[in-house]
Amino acid sequence: MSISVEGITKHFGSFQALKDISLEIPDGQLVGLLGPSGSGKTTLLRIIAGLETADEGRILFQGEDVTRLHVRERRVGFVFQHYALFRHMTVAQNVAFGLDVLPSRQRPSAAEVRKLVATLLEMVQLGHLAERYPAQLSGGQKQRIALARALSMKPQILLLDEPFGALDARVRKDLRRWLRTLHEEFHFTSVFVTHDQEEALELSDQVAVMSAGRIEQIDSPQKLYAQPASRFVFDFLGNANVFAGECEDEVLRQGEAWVRLPERCSASRQQLYMRSHEVSLQSTSASHAYLPLRIESISLVGAEVRLELSPVGWQSEELWEVGITHAQFNSWQPGRGDQCFAVPQVAHAIDADAHTPRTLHWQAGEMDDPAAMI
Ligand code: ADP
Ligand code: MG
């Protein structure tokens, strides 16, 4: 079932929590709402659910206007961050709860409820825990029960508000994978709120990045990462190395450092943003960039070795971060205090007054002698 959000505005007193939000969610998609705390994610989700009313705008499910429908009539499933299971009920009773409270005309028979509960518990792989109480479950198990309960009403729309927020990293990762599988198997349309960019990028077909009550960008994870529409999106989706300077013709300078851009400067003051994998390191400077750095720290982070670097002869508000492979690390054997040079492969140029970053690529010929690459 598709979801259309059309021009939704919401105030709490004089504070505007949502500013003219529009969003199209095709049938069967999993869309992540990603943004910092207070950006309006929960409010938007509650308006889609019918738990909160908007000041202006409409919500449509599969083309049908549900703006004035009560939450019960919208037939959406929810899962919240805090499990909200009933403590005095067993797992099976929790899952059956939504069915047990239906008006008698709609309520399935006790045998049908038992059967459905057993199926749902199998689906979340917790059939063996049916007679336990919530206090006897782990956090991850409780969230799976909460999900089974949400699915008992056979919703075509599932709304999840930071469902894994209170769990530890390992369990979150397992649950993510499992939610994705479930989503593909049952073809519901899901909206998933998170402030964790990795979670949003891994799980979603599309991610809507929210900031201060607006949607900054909605795109596939790949596109958001490769072509951020604003500086906010760029910053929010991960660490950025920044080189800010004065630009003339095509050379951007600051202190002793400079970068020759593949095109003419579009403004006199510019910033180049580079993600850690868009920069390589060399023992000598490249022909298109002179960006000397000193190694401040070296840490082994899973598959890569991450270096923190400080500028030498120029300035940066934050340390730079560049990841290299273990093979590069082993052949180079860098130590703290060593100097090297950053070589931008791809950079995102942001003018002092422009909103949208431009992505710059250097051609192989404009770059350097690969022999010098570390
Ligand atoms: P998020 O889920 O992105 O953290 P919320 O949607 O919960 O953000 O909140 C957005 C803003 O609206 C916040 O500044 C919050 O304080 C405010 N807000 C949310 N709900 C209420 C409410 N019931 N009354 C007053 N202000 C609220
Ligand atoms: Mg929230």
Side-chain angles (χ1 to χ4, degrees):
M1 186 173 266
S2 66
I3 305 172
S4 310
V5 173
E6 293 182 358
I8 292 287
T9 297
K10 176 71 182 175
H11 287 82
F12 291 109
S14 61
F15 175 76
Q16 191 171 8
L18 295 177
K19 301 167 184 163
D20 192 16
I21 299 267
S22 293
L23 193 59
E24 282 297 327
I25 304 174
D27 182 28
Q29 270 206 354
L30 201 165
V31 168
L33 295 181
L34 174 67
S37 177
S39 54
K41 306 179 298 293
T42 294
T43 305
L44 178 57
L45 202 73
R46 287 172 58 84
I47 289 174
I48 295 173
L51 290 166
E52 188 80 72
T53 53
D55 303 339
E56 280 171 56
R58 302 197 305 164
I59 303 290
L60 295 92
F61 290 169
Q62 201 67 36
E64 187 198 337
D65 190 340
V66 297
T67 316
R68 290 183 203 294
L69 279 193
H70 189 267
V71 51
R72 266 198 304 272
E73 298 165 309
R74 294 197 194 184
R75 303 199 47 162
V76 297
F78 312 105
V79 182
F80 299 106
Q81 176 172 356
H82 295 289
Y83 329 111
L85 296 180
F86 301 112
R87 304 158 66 91
H88 59 286
M89 291 184 186
T90 64
V91 161
Q93 288 165 341
N94 263 284
V95 174
F97 177 77
L99 300 166
D100 288 341
V101 299
L102 283 175
S104 56
R105 270 181 298 115
Q106 295 168 27
R107 195 185 317 145
S109 70
E112 283 167 336
V113 170
R114 260 198 311 279
K115 191 159 161 250
L116 180 59
V117 167
T119 310
L120 288 164
L121 287 177
E122 278 317 309
M123 208 168 84
V124 299
Q125 295 161 9
L126 292 175
H128 57 295
L129 300 181
E131 298 313 316
R132 292 236 190 132
Y133 285 87
Q136 301 168 294
L137 305 178
S138 72
Q141 289 170 337
K142 283 188 218 174
Q143 270 320 53
R144 278 148 70 184
I145 300 299
L147 192 58
R149 190 177 61 181
L151 296 177
S152 70
M153 307 299 288
K154 301 204 174 99
Q156 290 185 293
I157 290 175
L158 186 63
L159 305 175
L160 307 111
D161 193 352
E162 312 229 9
F164 311 141
L167 306 174
D168 65 53
R170 185 60 214 274
V171 179
R172 290 171 76 125
K173 230 177 156 121
D174 287 347
L175 283 190
R176 255 186 240 169
R177 205 163 301 139
W178 171 82
L179 176 64
R180 184 78 236 180
T181 313
L182 204 66
H183 185 268
E184 276 157 18
E185 226 168 284
F186 289 87
H187 299 292
F188 32 70
T189 307
S190 308
V191 186
F192 177 94
V193 166
T194 180
H195 63 267
D196 178 335
Q197 38 115 348
E198 194 184 309
E199 193 161 282
L201 295 177
E202 186 179 318
L203 210 49
S204 319
D205 297 306
Q206 291 192 83
V207 179
V209 181
M210 293 188 64
S211 160
R214 287 184 205 284
I215 291 182
E216 290 272 330
Q217 184 171 5
I218 174 157
D219 262 315
S220 67
Q222 296 76 2
K223 185 129 189 250
L224 272 184
Y225 206 71
Q227 289 169 272
S230 70
R231 185 159 163 181
F232 178 85
V233 174
F234 199 101
D235 279 336
F236 200 73
L237 289 192
N239 170 68
N241 298 311
V242 184
F243 178 63
E246 302 282 335
C247 211
E248 203 180 318
D249 298 330
E250 61 263 1
V251 180
L252 182 64
R253 282 181 197 283
Q254 190 227 118
E256 292 170 22
W258 54 264
V259 177
R260 192 188 318 281
L261 308 181
E263 59 185 46
R264 288 181 66 83
C265 308
S266 58
S268 60
R269 286 200 56 76
Q270 282 211 332
Q271 298 192 331
L272 286 188
Y273 276 58
M274 288 154 270
R275 297 203 189 280
S276 72
H277 67 273
E278 292 170 336
V279 179
S280 59
L281 297 174
Q282 287 188 179
S283 53
T284 57
S285 73
S287 55
H288 72 293
Y290 182 81
L291 292 167
L293 294 164
R294 182 174 42 243
I295 299 173
E296 297 295 338
S297 76
I298 301 173
S299 45
L300 277 71
V301 193
E304 66 168 22
V305 179
R306 197 167 299 161
L307 306 183
E308 282 192 317
L309 307 124
S310 58
V312 177
W314 56 286
Q315 292 184 351
S316 162
E317 267 176 35
E318 286 179 45
L319 290 179
W320 276 41
E321 211 177 274
V322 179
I324 62 173
T325 64
H326 284 267
Q328 286 168 324
F329 179 77
N330 291 333
S331 66
W332 176 20
Q333 304 207 330
R336 273 182 58 189
D338 287 357
Q339 272 207 34
C340 57
F341 293 86
V343 183
Q345 315 285 325
V346 175
H348 307 266
I350 300 178
D351 304 344
D353 43 22
H355 190 62
T356 307
R358 280 173 305 115
T359 303
L360 306 177
H361 296 269
W362 283 269
Q363 302 303 319
E366 295 166 324
M367 301 216 311
D368 219 31
D369 168 21
M373 294 264 186
I374 288 163

